[in-house]
Amino acid sequence: MTSHRLPPELLSNSEMAEADRLTIASGVPGYALMENAGAAVALEASWLAPRHGRIVVLCGPGNNGGDGFVAARLLKARDFSVTLGLLVSIDALRGDAAAAARAWNGEITAIEALDLDAADLVIDALFGAGLARDLDGPARAAVDRLNAFSRERKKPVLAVDVPSGIDGTSGQVRGVAVWASKTITFFRRKPGHLLLPGRLHCNETIVADIGITSAVLDVVRPATQANEPEVWGGLYPVPRIDGHKYARGHALVLSGDLAHTGAARLAARGALRAGAGLVTIATPREALGAHAAALTAIMTAVCDGPEELAAILEDGRKNALVLGPGLGVGAATRALTLSALAPASRAKILDADALSSFKGDAFSLAQAIRGSGGPVVLTPHDGEFARLFGDLSADDERRWLKSDADPETLQKRLNGLRSVSKLERARAAAALAGAIVLLKGPDTVVAHPDGRAMIDDTSPPWLATAGSGDVLAGMIAGLCAQSMPPFEAASAAVWLHGAGARHFGPGLVAEDIPESLPAVLRALFQSFGLTFP
Ligand SMILES: NC(=O)C1=CN([C@@H]2O[C@H](COP(=O)(O)OP(=O)(O)OC[C@H]3O[C@@H](n4cnc5c(N)ncnc54)[C@H](OP(=O)(O)O)[C@@H]3O)[C@@H](O)[C@H]2O)[C@@H](O)CC1
Ligand SMILES: Nc1ncnc2c1ncn2[C@@H]1O[C@H](COP(=O)(O)OP(=O)(O)O)[C@@H](O)[C@H]1O
Ligand SMILES: [K+]
């Protein structure tokens, strides 16, 4: 797991290179950054290895390897028994890495000739931010050997910056990747430390200060952040002393037929617990009795189709809408969704069947979203995402290419939809649809059409239980109803959803999530400095 209370900004490899360049331009030599990075690695290693223990450092051809040379030198000076393996010939090293290698006063062994078996700790300094292609040949063999060592010997592996083979920007494995027991990165984390499978390869990630100041962030302006309350806390709709329920909005949740009413109740309960002043379930008449028997604080209205929905929505006080859970996939849900997207300023959260009903026709959905005025949040899991965006055909592309963006931008977005990176997929979908896209999973990404994105790594695996997504959709609506801006509302809902599940613990079922929110909200409000009677 990634340790918390780390700075939220996440820098891609190229943003990190820019931070590096700006720091060097401000007068800090690159070699000083490498010395600091190597010193941080050595300090961490000195805690992971036994006193005077045997440490093997695997160095690659670039600056990641340079960090390894520095760490090796400092650990040797502290009386560890250090062996260093280099993937390439020493003549291949350049710049700061070559300088770090010159300062190393021990032997350099070819990696394939190294004996790993006796090591108490291995430092992986093969590849970091400069990984440019899939690992093969000797690089792949080195990673395979290292993984076999840690699997068989159960000894720790400390990765420098990222586990070698993990793409820091996407979190994807490039051919093969090191399984680390701890990862130490510098200045700020990268998306790949949070996204899967990268996060699993990192195990625990820590961040070391190496002398890059946060002032560079004003220039780099990273677009991606870790989903933490400090990012959206300032916009959280804390109940006001002079508030009343009508000032806290009215969320509307559409229900499925008599056989599918539970999803709407889960979403409605999520909206209510997230603080919406009023919540109504709009239900087919045949299911009214089922809801009425099960609900108390939540109200009901009858809605048997798009016309009735349009009539209900004439009430502008209903300022947030959830549509999709339990509705069924097909023409009826499609018609309801299009009716819900009629121009109005309310927030619309489209989930589950509302998304699947537009299978292969993201184009029509996006047209309706763009005409709908108010904010729209799409909350697909991977399967729903693939159904909606996965198989856009060349014809669809041509239709898209006639839309408002220039062809090059659209083509880029279409490529983004097929990217292996979950972050890029969500970003591309948000830009294409003109909606906030919340792509669910253990590494939920929330992407705004303007390019901002949030990655969540706080949700426990027991959230993967039937109906938990319905609760999440309702919670987003509950926060939007209270006028929280939708991108922040979606992000906050993901966090609260995860925090509720953490608070409840294993064995959680979807019904438990809303009920664990009071404790989570109390702690959150306390962290904002609020006191309670
Ligand atoms: N950011 C900062 O502020 C600071 C960063 N620091 C450190 O610098 C690291 C980044 O260094 P970096 O840019 O030199 O890249 P790095 O990961 O060492 O690899 C590049 C080399 O690998 C090669 N290569 C690439 N892919 C390959 C493949 N599949 N198979 C085989 N070879 C492959 C590539 O060769 P080429 O592509 O040119 O053929 C090139 O030779 C960063 O992770 C951090 O540890 C610190 O020192 C302090 C400040
Ligand atoms: N392995 C996991 N770890 C953490 N959260 C998960 C994991 N798998 C799924 N989730 C979360 O659980 C929820 C499931 O939502 P969804 O797939 O829509 O389920 P349902 O349709 O049953 O409501 C989402 O919030 C998702 O992010
Ligand atoms: K590494």
Side-chain angles (χ1 to χ4, degrees):
M1 227 177 78
T2 311
S3 41
H4 290 291
R5 304 247 158 261
L6 298 175
E9 300 87 3
L10 304 174
L11 274 64
S12 65
N13 287 336
S14 56
E15 287 169 336
M16 189 61 88
E18 167 82 346
D20 199 18
R21 194 186 59 68
L22 289 164
T23 305
I24 292 167
S26 77
V28 181
Y31 190 71
L33 296 178
M34 186 175 280
E35 276 287 329
N36 293 342
V41 173
L43 184 62
E44 198 55 42
S46 70
W47 290 325
L48 290 174
R51 219 163 152 244
H52 309 308
R54 286 158 297 194
I55 298 179
V56 173
V57 186
L58 304 183
C59 294
N63 289 339
N64 198 252
D67 297 347
F69 272 103
V70 173
R73 193 189 79 231
L74 298 175
L75 286 163
K76 191 172 173 223
R78 285 193 210 172
D79 291 334
F80 286 93
S81 159
V82 181
T83 312
L84 187 143
L86 182 59
L87 189 65
V88 293
S89 104
I90 182 125
D91 310 330
L93 302 181
R94 298 279 171 270
D96 293 335
R102 281 195 296 276
W104 162 245
N105 54 353
E107 277 189 28
I108 297 176
T109 310
I111 284 194
E112 58 273 21
L114 267 184
D115 179 15
L116 289 182
D117 284 349
D120 297 305
L121 166 73
V122 177
I123 297 178
D124 158 30
L126 289 169
F127 301 100
L131 184 70
R133 54 194 175 277
D134 285 3
L135 294 181
D136 57 12
R140 187 182 179 110
V143 171
D144 284 339
R145 272 189 71 205
L146 176 49
N147 284 341
F149 157 81
S150 61
R151 204 170 45 239
E152 285 156 21
R153 303 274 156 174
K154 311 258 179 294
K155 292 290 165 81
V157 173
L158 175 63
V160 178
D161 197 5
V162 285
S164 297
I166 293 295
D167 180 320
T169 301
S170 71
Q172 291 296 304
V173 173
R174 300 296 309 261
V176 65
V178 168
W179 289 99
S181 29
K182 198 163 198 176
T183 297
I184 179 167
T185 191
F186 312 118
F187 179 52
R188 291 293 185 272
R189 286 172 294 170
K190 301 181 174 67
H193 291 116
L194 283 77
L195 293 167
L196 297 194
R199 193 202 315 161
L200 300 175
H201 281 262
C202 292
N203 224 333
E204 185 190 357
T205 298
I206 58 170
V207 179
D209 174 5
I210 57 167
I212 300 176
T213 67
S214 48
V216 300
L217 297 174
D218 296 339
V219 182
V220 175
R221 301 178 69 82
T224 314
Q225 305 208 69
N227 188 25
E228 294 289 343
E230 66 179 290
V231 182
W232 40 258
L235 294 166
Y236 196 89
V238 175
R240 293 161 51 106
I241 289 175
D242 59 351
H244 54 81
K245 69 181 179 213
Y246 296 108
R248 297 179 64 191
H250 189 159
L252 185 77
V253 180
L254 264 71
S255 168
D257 62 22
L258 187 54
H260 302 94
T261 61
R265 281 197 299 281
L266 286 170
R269 189 79 180 165
L272 194 63
R273 281 284 191 213
L278 301 155
V279 180
T280 296
I281 290 182
T283 171
R285 182 168 296 281
E286 59 154 14
L288 184 61
H291 282 304
L295 297 173
T296 39
I298 293 162
M299 299 175 289
T300 51
V302 171
C303 172
D304 271 315
E307 293 77 24
E308 278 167 1
L309 177 60
I312 293 171
L313 293 180
E314 274 170 24
D315 178 0
R317 291 173 301 181
K318 297 192 173 73
N319 61 347
L321 172 75
V322 178
L323 193 143
L327 287 189
V329 177
T333 296
R334 207 181 144 97
L336 266 183
T337 308
L338 293 173
S339 171
L341 288 171
S345 60
R346 73 174 53 83
K348 297 118 188 159
I349 292 79
L350 305 186
D351 185 38
D353 298 344
L355 304 173
S356 298
S357 294
F358 288 85
K359 179 176 171 6
D361 193 14
F363 180 72
S364 300
L365 181 62
Q367 294 288 86
I369 289 171
R370 285 172 188 279
S372 81
V376 176
V377 183
L378 310 180
T379 57
H381 54 55
D382 278 327
E384 287 155 353
F385 187 94
R387 237 168 269 148
L388 191 55
F389 298 109
D391 52 0
L392 288 180
S393 67
D395 270 358
D396 294 317
E397 294 192 22
R398 270 193 289 281
R399 286 159 81 194
W400 274 106
L401 296 177
K402 275 190 227 143
S403 99
D404 51 357
D406 63 274
E408 202 181 320
T409 307
L410 277 168
Q411 194 56 54
K412 226 169 111 193
R413 286 176 195 164
L414 285 164
N415 294 343
L417 288 177
R418 294 175 187 124
S419 165
V420 289
S421 160
K422 181 166 184 170
L423 179 60
E424 286 324 305
R425 280 202 307 283
R427 269 204 176 108
L432 261 171
I436 289 153
V437 171
L438 188 160
L439 184 47
K440 291 185 276 199
D443 49 355
T444 294
V445 173
V446 184
H448 191 285
D450 71 9
R452 281 178 291 156
M454 216 75 99
I455 304 174
D456 189 88
D457 71 335
T458 67
S459 295
W462 49 90
L463 253 185
T465 176
S468 72
D470 307 332
V471 177
L472 175 66
M475 289 169 59
I476 301 167
L479 293 175
C480 287
Q482 298 168 83
S483 302
M484 190 174 190
F487 176 67
E488 284 77 10
S491 305
V494 170
W495 189 88
L496 289 170
H497 192 240
R502 281 200 312 277
H503 177 81
F504 189 93
L508 168 119
V509 295
E511 285 90 334
D512 302 322
I513 304 168
E515 308 326 307
S516 43
L517 284 184
V520 169
L521 289 172
R522 175 175 286 262
L524 179 70
F525 291 179
Q526 277 167 344
S527 78
F528 295 160
L530 290 163
T531 51
F532 295 92

